C-alpha cells in the first residue's frame, strides 16, 4: 500500500497548482453577416450562465474555452444583430470544435445560419454513440460497427459474428482500447466468432467515441495498428433505458445527487447490465445441433467529487461468456461449375467454453478552480483478471464425394462418386489465467505564449506507469484423423494421432512505461490554425530485458479565411509492440521469453474537407482522404483460422503495408447521418531464410510451374473493402426510419494446412458481401410527440420499435476452412460458412 499512498500525497502537495485544463474544451469559428457575407467583429461570445466572454477579431474569427463533459448554450451577441443561441452537446476534455455563425441584422426577416464542424482531436475520427445505438448489429457490440464508420477497418475472417477488427493490415491483437483512460484487454482462447460474448464497452454508458487508424500520438500505448478511445458519461439527471430483442437485452440507469450542503452534483453514477444469446442466429449455420450460448455483463462507473477540485472515479466490470454446443450433423456443398463436392458429417460429443473476465479501476483527479495555474495531475490504478476454460470432445464421421448436378438425373443432388470417408476427432482441455495490475500517474502543463492577434500555447503531457503481469497456461489437446480405416499419418506398426499438444507455462513479469508529449497550437486571426504534436514513449520489460524508445509526431494545418474548409494532416513515428503471452507461445506450446518487440514505422498523410451541398437547404458533408505506408520488421508470423491467431513464437518476418482510405459522411437526408467508406490495401511479408514461390501454372506433363517472389500476402491482406451505412425516413413521417448497412470486401488469403512456408497464403476466400437492413419506428418521443399528455407511453422519454433483417441476400460468406485429408495424401479445404438470413425484433425504451 506504500506506492498508492505516496502518489496520493504527491497529489495533495501539488494540488494547489493544478488547473482545470482536463475539464475544458475549445471552440473556434467565424462570424459573418448573413446578408453581405462579410466578417463581423466585436461579437461577444459566452457560455450562458458564465461570467467570462470573448470577442471576434477583424476577420470575424474567435477562440473560446468552454466546459467539457456537459451540454451548454453558446451565445453570440452584437448591437445591430439578432442575438443567437447555439445548443452544444458535451465535449471531451481537450477537444476542439468549430462553429461558424451567420448573424442576421435586426431589421431583416432572415433566419440565422449555424454551421458546425465535427470535433477533430489529434487527427482522430469522433462519433456520437447516441446516433449508433439503433443501428442493426448481430453482436450487439459497438465495435462491430467500426468497419462502417472508421477508416481502414475490417472484421476479418470472423465476419459478422465477431466484434474483433483488423485495421490497415494488422490483426486483432494490434489494437488499443481505452475506457476512461483505462486500457482494456480481450480474451485469448476464443477460436470462433460464435464463442465471443460481450465486449467491455457498454454503448448505453458511452459519452464519446474517438478512433485513430494509425499515426496516433505518443500519449497512447504500444500497439502497431489503432486506438479506440471511449469516454463514459457524466450524468446530471436520473435516466434509464431498457432494450430487448431475440438476441438478448440490456438495461442501464444513470443519475447524480447532491451530497451535503453543496451547489453542485457531487455523486454521479452509471450502471448497466447486458444479456446476449445467439442461439437463434446460430441456427442458420450449416452445422446443425444444440447451440446454448449465454453471455452476461454487468458494469458500473461512479464518480464522487470531494470538492470542486478533487474527484474520485471507480470503474468495475464483470463479464461471463458460456458457450455450449452439441453438434448433430453438417452438410456443405462447395466447388466449381465443372465439379461440385459435398461434405456430409455426423457428430458425437460436445463443446463447453467458459470465459470469465473481471476488471476494476480507480482514478483520482485534482483540478483546482483557479484557472491561472496550468498544472494538473491524475492517478489511475486498475486490476484485470481473465479465467478461460476451453473444453472440446467432438468426433465426426464424414463422407466426401462429388455431387450429382445433372438436372435430368434421377439422382440429382445426391453424392455420386465417393472420394473419401473417415473420422475426425478433436479433444481439447485448455485453461488460461491472466492477471494484470498497474498504477499510473499522469500530468499536464499548459503555457500560453500568444499576444493580442495570435493565440499560441504549449500543452505538455506526461505519464509514468508500472504494470505487473501473471500468466498461468495449461494446454492439453490432440486431433485424430482417420481415412478409410487408416489413421493419419499412416504407420504400419502403430496408431498415431495427427497432432498432440501438451504444455504447462507460468510467467510473471513487470513492464515500466512513460511518455512525454508537447502539443503546440498556433492560431492567428484570419490566417491559419496549426496543431503540432511531438512526443516520445519508452517501455522496459524485465522478462526479455528489452527497452524500447518510440518517437512520434503529428501535424494538423488548417488555413483560415478562404472559401474552403480544409484540414491537412501529416503523421509519422515508431510503434513497437512488446509481446503479450500469445505471441510468445509457439505452435508446439513452448514459450520464447527472448522474443523481441514487433516494430512498425508509420507515415500517414491526409486531407479532410468540410463542405455544404444543396441550394435550398445546404447539408454539411465531410470527405476524408488518407494515404499511408507502414514498414514492418521483427514481425512474429502467424496464421488465422476464423478469429484464432496461431503465432510462430519467433521474430521471423518483415514486411510492409500501403493503402488508401476514403470516407464520406454527412446528412444525405436532413437529420440522418450516413457514411461511405472505401479502403484499398496491400499487405506483404517475407519470412526469414525462406525462398517464397508462387504457382503460375502447369507444364505439358502436368508438373507445377512456379516462380520466386520476394513478398507474399499477409493473412490480413484485403485488396479492397467498401462499407456503406445509409439512413432515410418517410418524408411525411420522420418517426419511421430505415437503416441499411452494406459491406463488400476482397477475399483474405490462406494456405494449405501443414504445408511448408515456400507456397505461403497462395489461396483466397471468396469475396465477402453482406447487407443488413433495419426499420425503426419511433412510437413516442416526449420532446416531439403531439400526444404528449394522452399517449400510453407518456411515462417514457422515448420508445422505439425496430425490425432488423440480417444478411438480407442470404449470402454464404466464408469464415475459414475444415481440411479433409485422404489416405492418398490428397487434401480438401471445405469452407466454413457464416450465418444466413435472420429477422430480429427489437424494442428500446428510455426513461
Amino acid at each position: 500500500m506504500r506506492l498508492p499512498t505516496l502518489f496520493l500525497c504527491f497529489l495533495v502537495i501539488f494540488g494547489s497548482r493544478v488547473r482545470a485544463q482536463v475539464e475544458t474544451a475549445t471552440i473556434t469559428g467565424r462570424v459573418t453577416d448573413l446578408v453581405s457575407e462579410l466578417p463581423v467583429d466585436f461579437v461577444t461570445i459566452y457560455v450562458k450562465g458564465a461570467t467570462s466572454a470573448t470577442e471576434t477579431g477583424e476577420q470575424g474569427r474567435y477562440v473560446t474555452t468552454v466546459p467539457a463533459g456537459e451540454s451548454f448554450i453558446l451565445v453570440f451577441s452584437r448591437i445591430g444583430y439578432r442575438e443567437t443561441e447555439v445548443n452544444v452537446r458535451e465535449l471531451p476534455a481537450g477537444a476542439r470544435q468549430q462553429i461558424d455563425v451567420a448573424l442576421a441584422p435586426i431589421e431583416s426577416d432572415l433566419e440565422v445560419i449555424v454551421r458546425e464542424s465535427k470535433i477533430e482531436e489529434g487527427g482522430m475520427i469522433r462519433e456520437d454513440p447516441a446516433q449508433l445505438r439503433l443501428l442493426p448489429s448481430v453482436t450487439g457490440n459497438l465495435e462491430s460497427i467500426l468497419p462502417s464508420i472508421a477508416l481502414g477497418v475490417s472484421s476479418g475472417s470472423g465476419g459478422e459474428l465477431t466484434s474483433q477488427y483488423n485495421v490497415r493490415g494488422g490483426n486483432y491483437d494490434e489494437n488499443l482500447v481505452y475506457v476512461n483512460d483505462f486500457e482494456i484487454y480481450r480474451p485469448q482462447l476464443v477460436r470462433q466468432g460464435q464463442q465471443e460474448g460481450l465486449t467491455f464497452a457498454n454503448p448505453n454508458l458511452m459519452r464519446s467515441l474517438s478512433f485513430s487508424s494509425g499515426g496516433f500520438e505518443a500519449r497512447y500505448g504500444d500497439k502497431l495498428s489503432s486506438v479506440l478511445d471511449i469516454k463514459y458519461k457524466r450524468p446530471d439527471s436520473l435516466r434509464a433505458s431498457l432494450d430487448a430483442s431475440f438476441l438478448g437485452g440490456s438495461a442501464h440507469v444513470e443519475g447524480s445527487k447532491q451530497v451535503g450542503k453543496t451547489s453542485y452534483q457531487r455523486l454521479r453514477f452509471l450502471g448497466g447490465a447486458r444479456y446476449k444469446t445467439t442461439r437463434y442466429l446460430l441456427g442458420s449455420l450449416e452445422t446443425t445441433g444444440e447451440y446454448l450460448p449465454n453471455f452476461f455483463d454487468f458494469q458500473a462507473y461512479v464518480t464522487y467529487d470531494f470538492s470542486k477540485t478533487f474527484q474520485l472515479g471507480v470503474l468495475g466490470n464483470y463479464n461471463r461468456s458460456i458457450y455450449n454446443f452439441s453438434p448433430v450433423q453438417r452438410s456443405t456443398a462447395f466447388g466449381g461449375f465443372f465439379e461440385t463436392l459435398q461434405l456430409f458429417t455426423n457428430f458425437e460429443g460436445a463443446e463447453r467454453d467458459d470465459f470469465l473476465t473481471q476488471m476494476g479501476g480507480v482514478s483520482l483527479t485534482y483540478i483546482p478552480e483557479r484557472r491561472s495555474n496550468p498544472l494538473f495531475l491524475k492517478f489511475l490504478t486498475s486490476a484485470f483478471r481473465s479465467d478461460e476454460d476451453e473444453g472440446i470432445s467432438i468426433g465426426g464421421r464424414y463422407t466426401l464425394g462429388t455431387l450429382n448436378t445433372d438436372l435430368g438425373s434421377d439422382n440429382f443432388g445426391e453424392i455420386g462418386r465417393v472420394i473419401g470417408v473417415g473420422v475426425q476427432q478433436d479433444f481439447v482441455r485448455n485453461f488460461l489465467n491472466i492477471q494484470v495490475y498497474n498504477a499510473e500517474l499522469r500530468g499536464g502543463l499548459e503555457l500560453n505564449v500568444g499576444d493580442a492577434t495570435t493565440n499560441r500555447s504549449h500543452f505538455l503531457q506526461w505519464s509514468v506507469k508500472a504494470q505487473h503481469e501473471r500468466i498461468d497456461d495449461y494446454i492439453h489437446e490432440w486431433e485424430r484423423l482417420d481415412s478409410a480405416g487408416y489413421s493419419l499419418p499412416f504407420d504400419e506398426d502403430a496408431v498415431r494421432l495427427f497432432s498432440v499438444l501438451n504444455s504447462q507455462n507460468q510467467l510473471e513479469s513487470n513492464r515500466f512505461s512513460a511518455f512525454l508529449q508537447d502539443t503546440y497550437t498556433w492560431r492567428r486571426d484570419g490566417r491559419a490554425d496549426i496543431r503540432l504534436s511531438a512526443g516520445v514513449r519508452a517501455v522496459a520489460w524485465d522478462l526479455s530485458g528489452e527497452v524500447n524508445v518510440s518517437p512520434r509526431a503529428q501535424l494538423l494545418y488548417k488555413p483560415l479565411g478562404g472559401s474552403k474548409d480544409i484540414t491537412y494532416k501529416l503523421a509519422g513515428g515508431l510503434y513497437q509492440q512488446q509481446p503479450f503471452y500469445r505471441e510468445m507461445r509457439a505452435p508446439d506450446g513452448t514459450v520464447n521469453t527472448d522474443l523481441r518487440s514487433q516494430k512498425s514505422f508509420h507515415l500517414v498523410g491526409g486531407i479532410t474537407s468540410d463542405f455544404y451541398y444543396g441550394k435550398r437547404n445546404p447539408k454539411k458533408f465531410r470527405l476524408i482522404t488518407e494515404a499511408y505506408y507502414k514498414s514492418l520488421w521483427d514481425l512474429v508470423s502467424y496464421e488465422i483460422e476464423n478469429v484464432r491467431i496461431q503465432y510462430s513464437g519467433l521474430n521471423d518476418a518483415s514486411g510492409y503495408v500501403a493503402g488508401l482510405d476514403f470516407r464520406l459522411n454527412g446528412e444525405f437526408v436532413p437529420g440522418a447521418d450516413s457514411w461511405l467508406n472505401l479502403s484499398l490495401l496491400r499487405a506483404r511479408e517475407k519470412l526469414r531464410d525462406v525462398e517464397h514461390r508462387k504457382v503460375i501454372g502447369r507444364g505439358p506433363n502436368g508438373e507445377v510451374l512456379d516462380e520466386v517472389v520476394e513478398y507474399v500476402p499477409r493473412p490480413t491482406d484485403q485488396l479492397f473493402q467498401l462499407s456503406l451505412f445509409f439512413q432515410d425516413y418517410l418524408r411525411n413521417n420522420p418517426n419511421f426510419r430505415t437503416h441499411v448497412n452494406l459491406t463488400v470486401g476482397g477475399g483474405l488469403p490462406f494456405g494449405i494446412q501443414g504445408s511448408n512456408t515456400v507456397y505461403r497464403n497462395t489461396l483466397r476466400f471468396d469475396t465477402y458481401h453482406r447487407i443488413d437492413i433495419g426499420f425503426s419506428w419511433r412510437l413516442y418521443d416526449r420532446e416531439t410527440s403531439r400526444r404528449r399528455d394522452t399517449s400510453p407511453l407518456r411515462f417514457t422519454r422515448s420508445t422505439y420499435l425496430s425490425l432488423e433483417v440480417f444478411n438480407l441476400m442470404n449470402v454464404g460468406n466464408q469464415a475459414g476452412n475444415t481440411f479433409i485429408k485422404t489416405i492418398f495424401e490428397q487434401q480438401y479445404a471445405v469452407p466454413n460458412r457464416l450465418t444466413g438470413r435472420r429477422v430480429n425484433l427489437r424494442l428500446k425504451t428510455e426513461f
Side-chain angles (χ1 to χ4, degrees):
M1 298 297 294
R2 292 183 179 178
L3 188 61
T5 303
L6 181 62
F7 281 141
L8 184 58
C9 293
F10 185 77
L11 289 174
V12 174
I13 292 173
F14 287 93
S16 61
R17 300 181 59 196
V18 182
R19 181 182 179 226
Q21 166 66 29
V22 71
E23 292 298 322
T24 62
T26 301
I27 290 182
T28 64
R30 190 169 186 242
V31 181
T32 58
D33 186 294
L34 183 60
V35 178
S36 65
E37 298 184 352
L38 295 174
V40 180
D41 57 1
F42 299 113
V43 177
T44 302
I45 300 110
Y46 62 93
V47 175
K48 194 170 185 178
T51 57
S52 60
T54 187
E55 289 186 346
T56 58
E58 293 182 0
Q59 300 299 320
R61 295 283 178 183
Y62 72 92
V63 178
T64 184
T65 300
V66 296
E70 59 185 64
S71 300
F72 57 89
I73 297 175
L74 195 64
V75 181
F76 295 79
S77 176
R78 192 188 191 284
I79 296 175
Y81 290 89
R82 232 182 282 169
E83 184 174 276
T84 302
E85 295 184 353
V86 179
N87 292 311
V88 182
R89 292 181 177 179
E90 54 188 24
L91 309 178
R96 182 164 55 90
Q97 183 172 6
Q98 178 179 324
I99 298 180
D100 296 335
V101 176
L103 294 180
I106 291 178
E107 65 273 9
S108 74
D109 295 327
L110 300 174
E111 295 291 334
V112 175
I113 295 179
V114 179
R115 296 175 174 176
E116 298 186 39
S117 290
K118 288 200 171 184
I119 302 167
E120 183 163 328
E121 181 190 3
M124 302 179 74
I125 288 177
R126 173 179 160 82
E127 294 296 341
D128 180 5
Q131 299 184 19
L132 309 177
R133 290 174 190 144
L134 286 176
L135 308 191
S137 170
V138 170
T139 66
N141 298 316
L142 201 59
E143 291 89 338
S144 63
I145 305 173
L146 283 178
S148 298
I149 64 174
L151 294 173
V153 180
S154 166
S155 59
S157 59
E160 70 273 2
L161 286 176
T162 181
S163 297
Q164 307 301 328
Y165 49 90
N166 302 330
V167 181
R168 290 179 174 173
N171 65 36
Y172 307 136
D173 292 332
E174 297 177 9
N175 304 312
L176 284 163
V177 179
Y178 292 94
V179 173
N180 282 19
D181 295 327
F182 294 105
E183 185 174 352
I184 307 302
Y185 299 87
R186 73 181 189 95
Q188 300 286 301
L189 294 184
V190 175
R191 295 170 179 254
Q192 300 175 335
Q194 52 260 45
Q195 298 171 334
E196 276 191 25
L198 293 156
T199 58
F200 185 96
N202 187 330
N204 294 321
L205 311 185
M206 290 183 190
R207 181 184 75 198
S208 64
L209 178 154
S210 302
F211 187 82
S212 173
S213 302
F216 45 89
E217 296 173 317
R219 63 191 175 102
Y220 293 113
D222 303 284
K223 295 292 183 74
L224 296 183
S225 293
S226 73
V227 56
L228 173 62
D229 191 356
I230 293 170
K231 302 296 184 185
Y232 277 0
K233 301 175 184 176
R234 282 179 52 85
D236 55 9
S237 60
L238 183 63
R239 295 198 175 196
S241 71
L242 289 174
D243 194 333
S245 75
F246 294 158
L247 303 180
S250 66
H252 105 281
V253 62
E254 62 182 73
S256 60
K257 185 177 181 180
Q258 288 184 221
V259 179
K261 298 179 179 180
T262 60
S263 60
Y264 58 92
Q265 308 293 333
R266 276 196 168 186
L267 179 66
R268 303 174 193 268
F269 58 89
L270 289 168
R274 294 177 292 170
Y275 171 73
K276 170 185 166 185
T277 176
T278 52
R279 181 179 182 181
Y280 165 67
L281 188 69
L282 298 178
S284 63
L285 296 175
E286 291 179 330
T287 300
T288 62
E290 186 177 21
Y291 292 90
L292 294 174
N294 291 288
F295 311 122
F296 176 79
D297 162 85
F298 175 77
Q299 195 165 153
Y301 179 58
V302 179
T303 62
Y304 183 80
D305 296 343
F306 294 104
S307 66
K308 288 187 177 181
T309 61
F310 192 73
Q311 180 192 95
L312 169 70
V314 179
L315 177 65
N317 175 262
Y318 178 91
N319 189 314
R320 190 169 188 182
S321 302
I322 299 176
Y323 177 75
N324 291 305
F325 174 44
S326 299
V328 175
Q329 67 178 24
R330 170 184 178 175
S331 179
T332 302
F334 64 101
F337 177 79
F338 297 101
E339 182 181 46
T340 302
L341 305 179
Q342 184 176 49
L343 174 70
F344 185 82
T345 309
N346 286 313
F347 294 100
E348 293 180 350
E351 174 181 356
R352 176 181 170 82
D353 304 315
D354 191 344
F355 304 120
L356 172 64
T357 59
Q358 302 169 82
M359 184 266 185
V362 177
S363 65
L364 292 169
T365 309
Y366 202 95
I367 312 169
E369 294 182 70
R370 290 190 304 164
R371 297 194 173 187
S372 59
N373 293 327
L375 179 69
F376 79 85
L377 294 168
K378 184 175 184 180
F379 171 70
L380 303 102
T381 182
S382 68
F384 170 82
R385 180 186 176 101
S386 178
D387 293 285
E388 305 178 36
D389 182 355
E390 187 180 35
I392 302 174
S393 181
I394 296 177
R397 298 181 178 273
Y398 66 84
T399 301
L400 178 66
T402 59
L403 196 65
N404 189 336
T405 57
D406 185 1
L407 294 176
S409 173
D410 295 335
N411 298 321
F412 172 75
E414 298 179 2
I415 292 180
R417 178 173 61 91
V418 175
I419 297 176
V421 295
V423 175
Q424 184 172 6
Q425 186 174 0
D426 294 310
F427 182 89
V428 175
R429 290 291 185 273
N430 294 336
F431 304 92
L432 177 64
N433 174 264
I434 301 175
Q435 299 176 54
V436 179
Y437 307 94
N438 57 57
E440 180 181 9
L441 180 64
R442 293 190 172 194
L445 179 68
E446 185 175 27
L447 301 174
N448 292 309
V449 292
D451 52 31
T453 60
T454 304
N455 182 287
R456 291 179 292 165
S457 66
H458 289 273
F459 182 35
L460 293 170
Q461 299 177 73
W462 66 85
S463 165
V464 290
K465 181 178 180 180
Q467 180 164 297
H468 177 74
E469 301 168 2
R470 178 183 173 89
I471 310 291
D472 294 285
D473 188 20
Y474 303 89
I475 308 170
H476 178 52
E477 58 182 75
W478 52 262
E479 181 181 11
R480 183 174 74 90
L481 294 181
D482 180 289
S483 180
Y486 295 92
S487 290
L488 301 178
F490 176 69
D491 191 329
E492 293 182 350
D493 300 323
V495 176
R496 298 174 57 187
L497 295 174
F498 184 75
S499 64
V500 179
L501 181 57
N502 280 300
S503 69
Q504 180 175 333
N505 302 303
Q506 286 87 36
L507 294 176
E508 279 195 69
S509 64
N510 299 290
R511 299 181 201 259
F512 303 93
S513 61
F515 79 81
L516 175 63
Q517 176 178 304
D518 179 25
T519 301
Y520 173 70
T521 303
W522 185 91
R523 301 185 184 96
R524 187 169 180 85
D525 186 22
R527 293 190 181 181
D529 191 342
I530 297 175
R531 184 182 188 274
L532 174 62
S533 174
V536 62
R537 288 189 64 86
V539 185
W541 191 25
D542 63 1
L543 187 64
S544 65
E546 186 180 25
V547 178
N548 302 124
V549 179
S550 306
R552 305 172 189 175
Q554 183 181 97
L555 174 65
L556 297 176
Y557 170 66
K558 184 171 186 176
L560 302 177
S563 59
K564 296 182 179 180
D565 188 355
I566 296 179
T567 302
Y568 300 93
K569 170 185 174 181
L570 181 64
L574 183 60
Y575 297 81
Q576 304 184 75
Q577 180 171 322
Q578 290 195 341
F580 204 56
Y581 175 66
R582 286 301 301 273
E583 290 99 316
M584 295 186 290
R585 197 183 81 182
D588 62 0
T590 59
V591 174
N592 179 11
T593 57
D594 295 325
L595 193 68
R596 298 187 303 276
S597 299
Q598 300 183 86
K599 301 173 180 65
S600 173
F601 176 79
H602 290 199
L603 183 61
V604 182
I607 299 176
T608 300
S609 176
D610 293 319
F611 60 95
Y612 290 84
Y613 181 77
K615 295 183 178 179
R616 296 184 57 185
N617 185 19
K619 295 178 284 291
K620 177 72 172 289
F621 289 89
R622 166 167 286 196
L623 175 64
I624 302 176
T625 303
E626 286 192 4
Y628 60 90
Y629 178 83
K630 297 194 287 188
S631 178
L632 313 170
W633 67 99
D634 282 343
L635 295 179
V636 182
S637 64
Y638 60 88
E639 303 289 344
I640 296 181
E641 177 60 29
N642 201 298
V643 298
R644 188 191 191 193
I645 303 175
Q646 183 66 62
Y647 291 94
S648 67
L650 300 170
N651 296 109
D652 58 355
S654 60
Y656 68 90
V657 180
L660 283 170
D661 289 328
F662 305 91
R663 179 182 192 255
L664 176 66
N665 72 279
E667 295 183 359
F668 294 93
V669 178
D673 276 349
S674 299
W675 299 270
L676 174 64
N677 289 352
L678 175 63
S679 296
L680 305 176
L681 169 72
R682 181 181 177 89
R684 293 293 186 268
E685 67 181 4
K686 58 180 177 180
L687 272 59
R688 187 179 60 212
D689 300 327
V690 173
E691 184 182 75
H692 294 294
R693 307 188 74 87
K694 176 183 177 181
V695 177
I696 58 176
R698 291 187 176 273
N701 299 322
E703 70 274 17
V704 175
L705 301 178
D706 57 22
E707 63 180 6
V708 176
V709 293
E710 184 178 6
Y711 289 96
V712 294
R714 300 201 78 198
T716 53
D717 177 60
Q718 191 171 32
L719 177 61
F720 73 95
Q721 172 153 311
L722 175 68
S723 300
L724 169 66
F725 174 75
F726 181 76
Q727 298 186 81
D728 198 359
Y729 54 83
L730 297 180
R731 177 176 298 179
N732 297 324
N733 186 5
N735 292 324
F736 187 85
R737 296 201 173 202
T738 303
H739 318 269
V740 179
N741 195 354
L742 165 69
T743 303
V744 180
L748 292 168
F750 70 95
I752 299 299
Q753 185 184 43
S755 64
N756 58 37
T757 56
V758 174
Y759 300 101
R760 179 170 171 80
N761 294 331
T762 56
L763 304 174
R764 286 187 180 268
F765 296 152
D766 294 335
T767 299
Y768 181 94
H769 50 291
R770 176 186 175 92
I771 300 177
D772 296 331
I773 187 169
F775 305 92
S776 65
W777 182 20
R778 184 169 57 186
L779 301 176
Y780 175 78
D781 190 306
R782 185 177 298 175
E783 297 182 359
T784 61
S785 177
R786 297 179 180 178
R787 299 187 302 145
R788 186 178 307 175
D789 298 327
T790 60
S791 172
L793 297 173
R794 61 183 179 275
F795 64 94
T796 70
R797 290 179 183 269
S798 62
T799 301
Y800 291 83
L801 182 65
S802 299
L803 180 69
E804 302 169 334
V805 184
F806 302 126
N807 196 359
L808 179 67
M809 307 305 293
N810 201 28
V811 178
N813 291 301
Q814 190 173 355
N817 293 292
T818 297
F819 289 94
I820 300 298
K821 200 170 187 178
T822 71
I823 188 64
F824 303 108
E825 298 298 322
Q826 293 175 305
Q827 194 164 199
Y828 294 86
V830 182
N832 298 325
R833 297 194 174 95
L834 292 163
T835 57
R837 184 189 300 117
R838 278 292 186 266
V839 178
N840 183 42
L841 189 64
R842 180 182 174 194
L843 177 67
K844 183 174 180 62
T845 301
E846 295 181 347
F847 302 92

